[in-house]
mmCIF file of all heavy atoms in Angstrom:
data_model
loop_
_atom_site.group_PDB
_atom_site.id
_atom_site.type_symbol
_atom_site.label_atom_id
_atom_site.label_comp_id
_atom_site.label_asym_id
_atom_site.label_seq_id
_atom_site.Cartn_x
_atom_site.Cartn_y
_atom_site.Cartn_z
ATOM 1 N N ASP K 620 -32.575 2.463 6.706
ATOM 2 C CA ASP K 620 -32.093 1.079 6.767
ATOM 3 C C ASP K 620 -33.165 0.126 7.286
ATOM 4 O O ASP K 620 -33.290 -1.013 6.801
ATOM 5 C CB ASP K 620 -30.848 0.977 7.660
ATOM 6 C CG ASP K 620 -29.584 1.415 6.959
ATOM 7 O OD1 ASP K 620 -29.549 1.374 5.711
ATOM 8 O OD2 ASP K 620 -28.624 1.801 7.647
ATOM 9 N N GLU K 621 -33.948 0.561 8.260
ATOM 10 C CA GLU K 621 -35.018 -0.288 8.786
ATOM 11 C C GLU K 621 -36.077 -0.546 7.727
ATOM 12 O O GLU K 621 -36.577 -1.671 7.581
ATOM 13 C CB GLU K 621 -35.653 0.362 10.009
ATOM 14 C CG GLU K 621 -34.778 0.348 11.259
ATOM 15 C CD GLU K 621 -35.375 1.121 12.405
ATOM 16 O OE1 GLU K 621 -35.986 2.189 12.177
ATOM 17 O OE2 GLU K 621 -35.217 0.665 13.555
ATOM 18 N N ILE K 622 -36.414 0.485 6.962
ATOM 19 C CA ILE K 622 -37.461 0.335 5.948
ATOM 20 C C ILE K 622 -37.016 -0.614 4.846
ATOM 21 O O ILE K 622 -37.769 -1.507 4.430
ATOM 22 C CB ILE K 622 -37.843 1.707 5.357
ATOM 23 C CG1 ILE K 622 -38.431 2.605 6.452
ATOM 24 C CG2 ILE K 622 -38.874 1.534 4.225
ATOM 25 C CD1 ILE K 622 -38.624 4.046 6.033
ATOM 26 N N ILE K 623 -35.798 -0.441 4.349
ATOM 27 C CA ILE K 623 -35.338 -1.301 3.261
ATOM 28 C C ILE K 623 -35.253 -2.751 3.725
ATOM 29 O O ILE K 623 -35.437 -3.681 2.932
ATOM 30 C CB ILE K 623 -33.984 -0.802 2.693
ATOM 31 C CG1 ILE K 623 -33.712 -1.417 1.309
ATOM 32 C CG2 ILE K 623 -32.852 -1.099 3.640
ATOM 33 C CD1 ILE K 623 -34.623 -0.942 0.237
ATOM 34 N N SER K 624 -35.017 -2.967 5.005
ATOM 35 C CA SER K 624 -34.925 -4.335 5.515
ATOM 36 C C SER K 624 -36.271 -5.053 5.463
ATOM 37 O O SER K 624 -36.317 -6.290 5.473
ATOM 38 C CB SER K 624 -34.399 -4.334 6.954
ATOM 39 O OG SER K 624 -35.378 -3.838 7.859
ATOM 40 N N PHE K 625 -37.379 -4.302 5.403
ATOM 41 C CA PHE K 625 -38.697 -4.921 5.331
ATOM 42 C C PHE K 625 -38.901 -5.696 4.032
ATOM 43 O O PHE K 625 -39.736 -6.593 3.952
ATOM 44 C CB PHE K 625 -39.815 -3.870 5.440
ATOM 45 C CG PHE K 625 -39.883 -3.169 6.761
ATOM 46 C CD1 PHE K 625 -40.406 -1.888 6.844
ATOM 47 C CD2 PHE K 625 -39.440 -3.781 7.924
ATOM 48 C CE1 PHE K 625 -40.488 -1.218 8.062
ATOM 49 C CE2 PHE K 625 -39.521 -3.125 9.145
ATOM 50 C CZ PHE K 625 -40.042 -1.842 9.215
ATOM 51 N N PHE K 626 -38.180 -5.295 3.000
ATOM 52 C CA PHE K 626 -38.464 -5.819 1.667
ATOM 53 C C PHE K 626 -37.648 -7.056 1.295
ATOM 54 O O PHE K 626 -38.147 -7.931 0.597
ATOM 55 C CB PHE K 626 -38.290 -4.711 0.626
ATOM 56 C CG PHE K 626 -39.304 -3.635 0.766
ATOM 57 C CD1 PHE K 626 -39.079 -2.552 1.609
ATOM 58 C CD2 PHE K 626 -40.511 -3.713 0.110
ATOM 59 C CE1 PHE K 626 -40.032 -1.561 1.777
ATOM 60 C CE2 PHE K 626 -41.475 -2.728 0.272
ATOM 61 C CZ PHE K 626 -41.236 -1.651 1.105
ATOM 62 N N GLY K 627 -36.407 -7.136 1.751
ATOM 63 C CA GLY K 627 -35.612 -8.323 1.493
ATOM 64 C C GLY K 627 -35.667 -8.752 0.043
ATOM 65 O O GLY K 627 -35.402 -7.984 -0.867
ATOM 66 N N ASN K 628 -36.066 -9.994 -0.196
ATOM 67 C CA ASN K 628 -36.144 -10.533 -1.555
ATOM 68 C C ASN K 628 -37.589 -10.681 -2.030
ATOM 69 O O ASN K 628 -37.900 -11.521 -2.858
ATOM 70 C CB ASN K 628 -35.437 -11.893 -1.620
ATOM 71 C CG ASN K 628 -33.958 -11.766 -1.342
ATOM 72 O OD1 ASN K 628 -33.307 -10.856 -1.833
ATOM 73 N ND2 ASN K 628 -33.428 -12.684 -0.536
ATOM 74 N N ARG K 629 -38.466 -9.862 -1.523
ATOM 75 C CA ARG K 629 -39.871 -9.975 -1.882
ATOM 76 C C ARG K 629 -40.091 -9.620 -3.346
ATOM 77 O O ARG K 629 -39.463 -8.729 -3.887
ATOM 78 C CB ARG K 629 -40.729 -9.049 -1.021
ATOM 79 C CG ARG K 629 -40.680 -9.403 0.458
ATOM 80 C CD ARG K 629 -41.536 -8.446 1.248
ATOM 81 N NE ARG K 629 -41.385 -8.719 2.678
ATOM 82 C CZ ARG K 629 -42.381 -8.677 3.539
ATOM 83 N NH1 ARG K 629 -43.583 -8.383 3.142
ATOM 84 N NH2 ARG K 629 -42.178 -8.926 4.808
ATOM 85 N N ALA K 630 -41.020 -10.291 -3.959
ATOM 86 C CA ALA K 630 -41.397 -10.015 -5.339
ATOM 87 C C ALA K 630 -42.660 -9.168 -5.351
ATOM 88 O O ALA K 630 -43.390 -9.082 -4.353
ATOM 89 C CB ALA K 630 -41.627 -11.311 -6.099
ATOM 90 N N PHE K 631 -42.939 -8.554 -6.491
ATOM 91 C CA PHE K 631 -44.102 -7.676 -6.620
ATOM 92 C C PHE K 631 -45.396 -8.390 -6.251
ATOM 93 O O PHE K 631 -46.292 -7.798 -5.640
ATOM 94 C CB PHE K 631 -44.180 -7.147 -8.049
ATOM 95 C CG PHE K 631 -45.475 -6.464 -8.382
ATOM 96 C CD1 PHE K 631 -45.834 -5.279 -7.760
ATOM 97 C CD2 PHE K 631 -46.348 -7.012 -9.312
ATOM 98 C CE1 PHE K 631 -47.027 -4.643 -8.056
ATOM 99 C CE2 PHE K 631 -47.533 -6.384 -9.608
ATOM 100 C CZ PHE K 631 -47.884 -5.206 -8.986
ATOM 101 N N ASN K 632 -45.511 -9.683 -6.606
ATOM 102 C CA ASN K 632 -46.774 -10.369 -6.351
ATOM 103 C C ASN K 632 -47.075 -10.572 -4.876
ATOM 104 O O ASN K 632 -48.170 -10.973 -4.506
ATOM 105 C CB ASN K 632 -46.838 -11.708 -7.105
ATOM 106 C CG ASN K 632 -45.712 -12.648 -6.739
ATOM 107 O OD1 ASN K 632 -45.036 -12.440 -5.732
ATOM 108 N ND2 ASN K 632 -45.510 -13.665 -7.555
ATOM 109 N N GLU K 633 -46.096 -10.293 -4.003
ATOM 110 C CA GLU K 633 -46.381 -10.338 -2.566
ATOM 111 C C GLU K 633 -47.122 -9.083 -2.119
ATOM 112 O O GLU K 633 -47.700 -9.049 -1.042
ATOM 113 C CB GLU K 633 -45.087 -10.480 -1.778
ATOM 114 C CG GLU K 633 -44.411 -11.822 -1.921
ATOM 115 C CD GLU K 633 -43.248 -11.951 -0.958
ATOM 116 O OE1 GLU K 633 -43.450 -11.789 0.257
ATOM 117 O OE2 GLU K 633 -42.131 -12.183 -1.441
ATOM 118 N N PHE K 634 -47.071 -8.028 -2.952
ATOM 119 C CA PHE K 634 -47.706 -6.766 -2.586
ATOM 120 C C PHE K 634 -48.944 -6.476 -3.424
ATOM 121 O O PHE K 634 -49.629 -5.501 -3.187
ATOM 122 C CB PHE K 634 -46.716 -5.605 -2.749
ATOM 123 C CG PHE K 634 -45.648 -5.612 -1.702
ATOM 124 C CD1 PHE K 634 -44.503 -6.354 -1.867
ATOM 125 C CD2 PHE K 634 -45.803 -4.898 -0.534
ATOM 126 C CE1 PHE K 634 -43.522 -6.379 -0.889
ATOM 127 C CE2 PHE K 634 -44.834 -4.913 0.451
ATOM 128 C CZ PHE K 634 -43.691 -5.664 0.268
ATOM 129 N N ALA K 635 -49.215 -7.328 -4.396
ATOM 130 C CA ALA K 635 -50.368 -7.096 -5.248
ATOM 131 C C ALA K 635 -50.959 -8.428 -5.681
ATOM 132 O O ALA K 635 -50.241 -9.294 -6.176
ATOM 133 C CB ALA K 635 -49.955 -6.290 -6.486
ATOM 134 N N LYS K 636 -52.228 -8.591 -5.493
ATOM 135 C CA LYS K 636 -52.905 -9.848 -5.797
ATOM 136 C C LYS K 636 -53.647 -9.714 -7.125
ATOM 137 O O LYS K 636 -54.474 -8.821 -7.302
ATOM 138 C CB LYS K 636 -53.889 -10.175 -4.674
ATOM 139 C CG LYS K 636 -54.648 -11.485 -4.887
ATOM 140 C CD LYS K 636 -55.596 -11.712 -3.717
ATOM 141 C CE LYS K 636 -56.395 -12.995 -3.915
ATOM 142 N NZ LYS K 636 -57.367 -13.191 -2.812
ATOM 143 N N LEU K 637 -53.319 -10.618 -8.073
ATOM 144 C CA LEU K 637 -53.972 -10.591 -9.376
ATOM 145 C C LEU K 637 -55.460 -10.863 -9.209
ATOM 146 O O LEU K 637 -55.868 -11.747 -8.460
ATOM 147 C CB LEU K 637 -53.340 -11.640 -10.298
ATOM 148 C CG LEU K 637 -53.800 -11.638 -11.758
ATOM 149 C CD1 LEU K 637 -53.394 -10.335 -12.428
ATOM 150 C CD2 LEU K 637 -53.196 -12.819 -12.504
ATOM 151 N N MET K 638 -56.278 -10.077 -9.924
ATOM 152 C CA MET K 638 -57.722 -10.259 -9.808
ATOM 153 C C MET K 638 -58.354 -10.202 -11.196
ATOM 154 O O MET K 638 -57.727 -9.749 -12.163
ATOM 155 C CB MET K 638 -58.326 -9.164 -8.915
ATOM 156 C CG MET K 638 -58.087 -7.738 -9.388
ATOM 157 S SD MET K 638 -58.563 -6.485 -8.180
ATOM 158 C CE MET K 638 -60.328 -6.689 -8.147
ATOM 159 N N ILE K 639 -59.573 -10.705 -11.299
ATOM 160 C CA ILE K 639 -60.289 -10.634 -12.573
ATOM 161 C C ILE K 639 -60.540 -9.166 -12.897
ATOM 162 O O ILE K 639 -61.098 -8.427 -12.078
ATOM 163 C CB ILE K 639 -61.627 -11.396 -12.486
ATOM 164 C CG1 ILE K 639 -61.355 -12.882 -12.217
ATOM 165 C CG2 ILE K 639 -62.427 -11.217 -13.769
ATOM 166 C CD1 ILE K 639 -62.599 -13.693 -11.946
ATOM 167 N N PRO K 640 -60.113 -8.683 -14.085
ATOM 168 C CA PRO K 640 -60.229 -7.255 -14.402
ATOM 169 C C PRO K 640 -61.665 -6.741 -14.293
ATOM 170 O O PRO K 640 -62.575 -7.288 -14.878
ATOM 171 C CB PRO K 640 -59.730 -7.179 -15.846
ATOM 172 C CG PRO K 640 -58.825 -8.343 -15.985
ATOM 173 C CD PRO K 640 -59.435 -9.421 -15.147
ATOM 174 N N ARG K 641 -61.820 -5.730 -13.510
ATOM 175 C CA ARG K 641 -63.079 -4.995 -13.407
ATOM 176 C C ARG K 641 -62.732 -3.532 -13.246
ATOM 177 O O ARG K 641 -63.065 -2.714 -14.070
ATOM 178 C CB ARG K 641 -63.925 -5.502 -12.235
ATOM 179 C CG ARG K 641 -65.248 -4.755 -12.106
ATOM 180 C CD ARG K 641 -66.071 -5.245 -10.934
ATOM 181 N NE ARG K 641 -67.289 -4.468 -10.783
ATOM 182 C CZ ARG K 641 -68.136 -4.606 -9.791
ATOM 183 N NH1 ARG K 641 -67.924 -5.512 -8.842
ATOM 184 N NH2 ARG K 641 -69.217 -3.842 -9.710
ATOM 185 N N SER K 642 -62.037 -3.212 -12.170
ATOM 186 C CA SER K 642 -61.588 -1.832 -11.980
ATOM 187 C C SER K 642 -60.079 -1.747 -11.858
ATOM 188 O O SER K 642 -59.531 -0.667 -11.684
ATOM 189 C CB SER K 642 -62.243 -1.239 -10.734
ATOM 190 O OG SER K 642 -62.029 -2.075 -9.617
ATOM 191 N N GLY K 643 -59.381 -2.899 -11.935
ATOM 192 C CA GLY K 643 -57.932 -2.918 -11.868
ATOM 193 C C GLY K 643 -57.416 -4.333 -12.031
ATOM 194 O O GLY K 643 -58.113 -5.291 -11.691
ATOM 195 N N LEU K 644 -56.213 -4.470 -12.561
ATOM 196 C CA LEU K 644 -55.638 -5.793 -12.757
ATOM 197 C C LEU K 644 -55.211 -6.435 -11.442
ATOM 198 O O LEU K 644 -55.193 -7.653 -11.316
ATOM 199 C CB LEU K 644 -54.424 -5.697 -13.697
ATOM 200 C CG LEU K 644 -54.707 -5.288 -15.146
ATOM 201 C CD1 LEU K 644 -53.395 -5.112 -15.895
ATOM 202 C CD2 LEU K 644 -55.577 -6.334 -15.837
ATOM 203 N N PHE K 645 -54.843 -5.583 -10.472
ATOM 204 C CA PHE K 645 -54.349 -6.101 -9.208
ATOM 205 C C PHE K 645 -55.130 -5.499 -8.041
ATOM 206 O O PHE K 645 -55.517 -4.336 -8.077
ATOM 207 C CB PHE K 645 -52.863 -5.780 -9.026
ATOM 208 C CG PHE K 645 -51.962 -6.512 -9.991
ATOM 209 C CD1 PHE K 645 -51.624 -5.944 -11.198
ATOM 210 C CD2 PHE K 645 -51.463 -7.761 -9.666
ATOM 211 C CE1 PHE K 645 -50.797 -6.612 -12.095
ATOM 212 C CE2 PHE K 645 -50.638 -8.441 -10.553
ATOM 213 C CZ PHE K 645 -50.306 -7.862 -11.769
ATOM 214 N N SER K 646 -55.322 -6.314 -7.027
ATOM 215 C CA SER K 646 -55.910 -5.834 -5.781
ATOM 216 C C SER K 646 -54.810 -5.226 -4.924
ATOM 217 O O SER K 646 -53.678 -5.714 -4.906
ATOM 218 C CB SER K 646 -56.569 -6.987 -5.033
ATOM 219 O OG SER K 646 -56.859 -6.625 -3.706
ATOM 220 N N SER K 647 -55.127 -4.178 -4.198
ATOM 221 C CA SER K 647 -54.143 -3.528 -3.326
ATOM 222 C C SER K 647 -54.243 -4.000 -1.883
ATOM 223 O O SER K 647 -53.621 -3.419 -0.994
ATOM 224 C CB SER K 647 -54.314 -2.007 -3.394
ATOM 225 O OG SER K 647 -55.641 -1.631 -3.151
ATOM 226 N N VAL K 648 -54.998 -5.071 -1.644
ATOM 227 C CA VAL K 648 -55.144 -5.599 -0.279
ATOM 228 C C VAL K 648 -53.796 -5.888 0.371
ATOM 229 O O VAL K 648 -53.583 -5.573 1.556
ATOM 230 C CB VAL K 648 -56.040 -6.856 -0.277
ATOM 231 C CG1 VAL K 648 -55.973 -7.574 1.070
ATOM 232 C CG2 VAL K 648 -57.484 -6.471 -0.582
ATOM 233 N N PRO K 649 -52.809 -6.483 -0.359
ATOM 234 C CA PRO K 649 -51.505 -6.718 0.277
ATOM 235 C C PRO K 649 -50.810 -5.439 0.734
ATOM 236 O O PRO K 649 -50.077 -5.459 1.722
ATOM 237 C CB PRO K 649 -50.698 -7.415 -0.833
ATOM 238 C CG PRO K 649 -51.737 -8.095 -1.663
ATOM 239 C CD PRO K 649 -52.878 -7.129 -1.679
#
């Protein structure tokens, strides 16, 4: 229950940052 509460209404783009394609479409920094 604590873990699921972390996510709420977050969208995918809050966890992945779009980047210019080189080695991946998204950065995993988030």
Side-chain angles (χ1 to χ4, degrees):
D620 280 336
E621 288 174 322
I622 297 170
I623 197 68
S624 72
F625 295 153
F626 293 88
N628 296 317
R629 297 180 185 219
F631 168 66
N632 58 15
E633 290 188 56
F634 288 86
K636 181 180 179 183
L637 187 64
M638 59 190 293
I639 297 173
R641 180 181 177 185
S642 53
L644 294 175
F645 292 91
S646 166
S647 52
V648 168

